[in-house]
Amino acid sequence: MSLLIPRKIPFLFLSFCCVSIASANTAEPADWPYSEDTPTVTSLNIGLAGEQPVDISRFLLSRGVSQARINPQGTQIAYLSTITGVRQLWVQSVHGGQAKQLTFGNGLSFFRWHPDGTQLIYGADNDGNEREAFYSIHTNGLSESLLLAHSNAFRRFGEFNHDGTRFTYASTERNGRDFDIYEHNMTTGKSRMIYQAEFGFFPAAWQPGTHNVIVTETRGEDAQDVFLLDSASGELRPLYTPAVAAAFSHFHWSDDGNTLYFVSNVDREMTAVFSYNLTTEKTTLIHESQFDLENLQLCSKQSNLVWTENRNGFDTLFSSKLTGAGTRKIDMPEGVYSVSCASESDALAVQISSPTSPAKVYTTTLTSNRHRLLVDATLAGIDSNALITPEAIDFPARDGITLHGLLYLPKGKLNNVPLVIDVHGGPTAQAKPAWQPLTQYLVGKGIAVLDINVRGSTGFGKTYARLDNQEKRLHSVRDLVDALSYLKADPRIDVQNSAVMGGSYGGYMVNAVMGLYPDAFKAGASFVGVSDWVRALQEASPGLKASDRIEYGDIRDPKWEAFYAENSPINTVHRIQAPMFFEHGVNDPRDPVTESDRMVKVLREKGLPVTYLRFPDEGHSVSKMENRVTFYRALAEFLERHLTTQQ
């Protein structure tokens, strides 16, 4: 039950994927009888630069950027930064110079460039409730307007049309549940519904010179059907509704509106680059690889395609001319890429997050073999040479399935070091070698970290991503125990001294494995995790129930209700024997705080030691700097206490 929001955004600490429900969580801090669980903000104690091990606070104070995008003209870069402690929007010339902060209010969730390149649209919610208002702001920071006010609706931005007079978005404002599609007129300031939907329909690229918009319908956690919507008539024309569900993304139209470029794994295991001719209705495979191809861009007056290749989470950047002149690798520093190109010039911006640095922005051109660092990151006095790049590992599960992960090992002599297994959200997401402050802190303290890609993860083929569907749900939980079995033969790691942690769906995995396999881990840390799947699936928005029926099974069917009634973590919580750590935001709109409350109550009644951070001003992620400091420090101290005190 995922909105597929990235699990690890450089400035959020953790941004989790999991359940989205139709109504706002109404729990108030006063409803919870344990006042000590409401965190108290503490001051930083960063220690001195050069001290080893590095204090956790220095990792928190390390800053980069997120969502970097170049404007269509190739003259300015916009990005989000938390340099002020809250995510804000900044712009900077591609030629360098001082960056300008544009916004100063509540934390932002997203932004997009207007086609004229002089203004941007952005969204902001209230304390993590994910009910965004939309605003427009000029790049000089002197002119700003409210486009769509805050409401009880969930919204998802679509795209501008080519002249920027209109944009599309999906919203639940009609009934609080279904994502209908709307068109907003920038001149009149009015919005109108252009398609009344059931479940989850979301707008994408606008066909040039027409009223037509690409629309996707959710079909499972990792798949979509694709349609062409006439915004004037409301007619919906199917383009791709394959018998075997497939992923479709990164849509780009040719200027004449006749050719659509996109990424998909239709009729294949790995995602590849395709084109679709609207006149002939012919689909053509353009580029393929043994790895997933991602981040497709149509650049430089539509002369070039640019994309990335995902090799165990590490990205490689490629480009090719549409004239068929061949493929060229674009050399960039190692890491996880986000790519943005100019439509009116050959400028290219690449945001790179790596294990040794928060995200930076590099610029290059489609004709150059050189790149330039435009927006640097700060490591707050940490020596990057002391940080660890993981090794990609593959290993067998007990049923023969090959599992995957990124293993971070402490530097120096290794012998029986403790271990933390980190489980990503989703489940359709991937552990990637991006900036992970907690991971680097733990490794610096002599604790190994396995960032695991259990079955159900993306990046390893369509079949692998669906190996945890429906009744196979618990197979992925078992993968965590099989990882310990594999690492038991590695003399560097002490699997008897291990913990497991994860957020959102990863939090569910922690809740589940600690109850189903109570002897496996010495401690568990669950953040905004599901404990009762029956409640989670019943209360999920119909916009996600389309995916739930494939990923989890239709909860309206007595078969699946009985399955999840038996196999939810709340029914095995009494079997947990190890100390537990929980974190949850009271404003969480996807997975209500009561999911963690229930687990905590049972464990405390049982007499187990439980640490619980119940943030009254956070949602499904921890976004405020002071709260991130409190969260990180408490979690790090919990893991150290239970994994290193007996070393």
Side-chain angles (χ1 to χ4, degrees):
M1 305 180 66
S2 170
L3 290 181
L4 297 181
I5 299 177
R7 178 177 67 106
K8 291 173 181 172
I9 299 176
F11 293 110
L12 288 186
F13 163 37
L14 294 168
S15 182
F16 305 118
C17 305
C18 201
V19 181
S20 177
I21 63 174
S23 60
N25 171 36
T26 58
E28 297 293 337
D31 296 335
W32 186 243
Y34 305 101
S35 60
E36 64 272 19
D37 293 334
T38 299
T40 301
V41 175
T42 57
S43 60
L44 289 176
N45 180 17
I46 63 174
L48 300 176
E51 285 186 340
Q52 296 294 330
V54 178
D55 187 84
I56 185 64
S57 298
R58 285 193 181 271
F59 286 101
L60 293 173
L61 293 171
S62 299
R63 307 291 178 84
V65 305
S66 62
Q67 300 187 34
R69 292 173 179 266
I70 196 169
N71 68 350
Q73 294 72 26
T75 59
Q76 289 184 297
I77 304 286
Y79 55 86
L80 299 183
S81 170
T82 58
I83 194 70
T84 65
V86 178
R87 274 177 298 168
Q88 302 292 358
L89 179 60
W90 296 68
V91 292
Q92 184 167 352
S93 167
V94 296
H95 302 297
Q98 185 171 350
K100 177 187 294 184
Q101 182 179 346
L102 294 185
T103 60
F104 298 85
N106 206 352
L108 276 66
S109 53
F110 81 93
F111 73 89
R112 295 289 189 277
W113 279 104
H114 187 276
D116 68 10
T118 66
Q119 57 183 317
L120 304 104
I121 187 172
Y122 70 88
D125 67 6
N126 288 311
D127 290 335
N129 70 357
E130 298 183 19
R131 288 160 170 81
E132 299 161 322
F134 288 179
Y135 302 83
S136 175
I137 190 167
H138 195 278
T139 54
N140 63 17
L142 302 178
S143 174
E144 187 174 15
S145 60
L146 175 66
L147 302 177
L148 296 173
H150 286 288
S151 72
N152 288 326
F154 293 96
R155 295 174 177 138
R156 188 184 298 184
F157 185 76
E159 293 289 346
F160 283 105
N161 65 348
H162 274 53
D163 63 11
T165 57
R166 294 170 289 166
F167 67 82
T168 54
Y169 64 97
S171 174
T172 63
E173 57 195 83
R174 174 173 57 89
N175 61 10
R177 300 170 303 177
D178 299 316
F179 280 91
D180 304 317
I181 298 177
Y182 292 79
E183 173 188 289
H184 182 84
N185 188 304
M186 292 284 286
T187 302
T188 66
K190 303 294 184 181
S191 292
R192 67 181 184 94
M193 185 192 300
I194 58 176
Y195 185 73
Q196 182 172 310
E198 288 184 277
F199 302 123
F201 282 75
F202 303 98
W206 209 305
Q207 185 184 16
T210 74
H211 297 287
N212 297 331
V213 178
I214 290 294
V215 169
T216 62
E217 179 186 10
T218 301
R219 187 178 170 190
E221 286 279 349
D222 62 337
Q224 302 82 27
D225 285 342
V226 183
F227 303 86
L228 192 64
L229 172 65
D230 185 328
S231 64
S233 69
E235 179 185 357
L236 199 67
R237 170 186 168 185
L239 298 184
Y240 292 97
T241 58
V244 177
F248 294 86
S249 65
H250 295 88
F251 300 99
H252 302 279
W253 285 101
S254 60
D255 277 340
D256 63 8
N258 196 48
T259 304
L260 179 68
Y261 300 94
F262 59 93
V263 168
S264 179
N265 57 10
V266 61
D267 299 326
R268 59 192 299 115
E269 275 293 313
M270 313 305 291
T271 55
V273 177
F274 291 88
S275 68
Y276 173 78
N277 185 288
L278 203 63
T279 302
T280 65
E281 299 185 350
K282 179 182 178 181
T283 300
T284 302
L285 175 64
I286 301 178
H287 297 288
E288 64 178 332
S289 167
Q290 61 179 311
F291 304 100
D292 273 344
L293 303 186
E294 301 168 340
N295 289 305
L296 179 67
Q297 300 287 309
L298 182 57
C299 308
S300 188
K301 299 186 184 297
Q302 302 202 326
S303 63
N304 284 70
L305 289 174
V306 173
W307 68 92
T308 59
E309 184 180 80
N310 174 358
R311 303 186 182 191
N312 291 312
F314 291 91
D315 286 330
T316 306
L317 185 62
F318 294 93
S319 72
S320 72
K321 291 186 176 296
L322 285 177
T323 56
T327 299
R328 181 174 76 92
K329 178 183 175 183
I330 302 175
D331 289 328
M332 283 285 165
E334 186 177 71
V336 179
Y337 298 170
S338 176
V339 183
S340 174
C341 68
S343 57
E344 302 303 320
S345 77
D346 66 352
L348 190 68
V350 185
Q351 176 185 299
I352 304 179
S353 174
S354 74
T356 59
S357 174
K360 306 175 181 180
V361 180
Y362 293 84
T363 58
T364 186
T365 67
L366 292 169
T367 56
S368 172
N369 291 320
R370 301 179 64 182
H371 56 264
R372 180 171 67 92
L373 177 61
L374 179 68
V375 184
D376 204 355
T378 174
L379 278 171
I382 300 172
D383 182 359
S384 62
N385 293 320
L387 302 178
I388 301 298
T389 296
E391 59 182 76
I393 63 171
D394 302 322
F395 54 95
R398 67 187 67 183
D399 59 0
I401 296 297
T402 299
L403 305 176
H404 308 271
L406 299 174
L407 182 60
Y408 296 77
L409 293 167
K411 287 188 176 182
K413 184 178 180 181
L414 289 175
N415 184 34
N416 286 333
V417 299
L419 171 73
V420 171
I421 294 183
D422 188 4
V423 193
H424 64 67
T428 48
Q430 183 182 3
K432 292 188 174 185
W435 176 243
Q436 299 184 42
L438 181 62
T439 294
Q440 294 293 343
Y441 172 78
L442 293 175
V443 175
K445 296 287 287 189
I447 300 172
V449 176
L450 175 61
D451 205 354
I452 193 169
N453 284 305
V454 296
R455 70 188 72 197
S457 302
T458 54
F460 304 96
K462 183 161 56 180
T463 298
Y464 191 77
R466 299 174 183 179
L467 288 177
D468 65 342
N469 285 5
Q470 299 186 359
E471 70 277 356
K472 297 177 284 188
R473 180 67 37 205
L474 299 182
H475 295 180
S476 62
V477 178
R478 190 182 64 202
D479 289 344
L480 302 176
V481 181
D482 290 349
L484 292 180
S485 297
Y486 168 75
L487 292 173
K488 188 175 182 179
D490 191 330
R492 300 172 298 179
I493 298 173
D494 177 13
V495 298
Q496 301 302 318
N497 196 27
S498 61
V500 60
M501 69 177 184
S504 195
Y505 187 85
Y508 151 71
M509 292 282 282
V510 173
N511 293 341
V513 75
M514 296 301 291
L516 291 171
Y517 302 91
D519 298 324
F521 294 96
K522 285 184 64 178
S526 169
F527 326 127
V528 294
V530 170
S531 63
D532 181 358
W533 275 119
V534 175
R535 181 222 57 80
L537 294 168
Q538 286 177 342
E539 296 182 11
S541 162
L544 296 178
K545 284 184 177 177
S547 66
D548 296 345
R549 289 198 300 268
I550 297 174
E551 178 76 28
Y552 298 92
D554 193 335
I555 197 63
R556 297 172 297 182
D557 186 332
K559 168 188 173 182
W560 294 114
E561 183 174 0
F563 176 83
Y564 286 108
E566 178 182 355
N567 293 296
S568 290
I570 196 63
N571 297 320
T572 57
V573 62
H574 63 280
R575 298 184 59 199
I576 295 178
Q577 300 176 4
M580 292 290 295
F581 180 104
F582 292 90
E583 179 277 324
H584 220 117
V586 170
N587 299 322
D588 191 341
R590 307 187 202 178
D591 191 12
V593 69
T594 50
E595 289 294 287
S596 291
D597 289 350
R598 293 168 181 161
M599 298 287 288
V600 171
K601 285 180 179 178
V602 173
L603 293 173
R604 283 180 173 164
E605 290 171 359
K606 185 180 176 181
L608 277 181
V610 176
T611 300
Y612 189 19
L613 300 187
R614 199 175 187 271
F615 289 101
D617 56 347
E618 296 285 5
H620 200 61
S621 63
V622 181
S623 60
K624 295 180 173 64
M625 181 59 183
E626 62 271 21
N627 291 340
R628 294 201 303 272
V629 171
T630 301
F631 182 12
Y632 259 114
R633 184 170 292 285
L635 177 59
E637 289 175 351
F638 172 85
L639 294 171
E640 285 184 78
R641 181 166 68 251
H642 294 292
L643 295 182
T644 64
T645 54
Q646 298 179 4
Q647 295 300 298

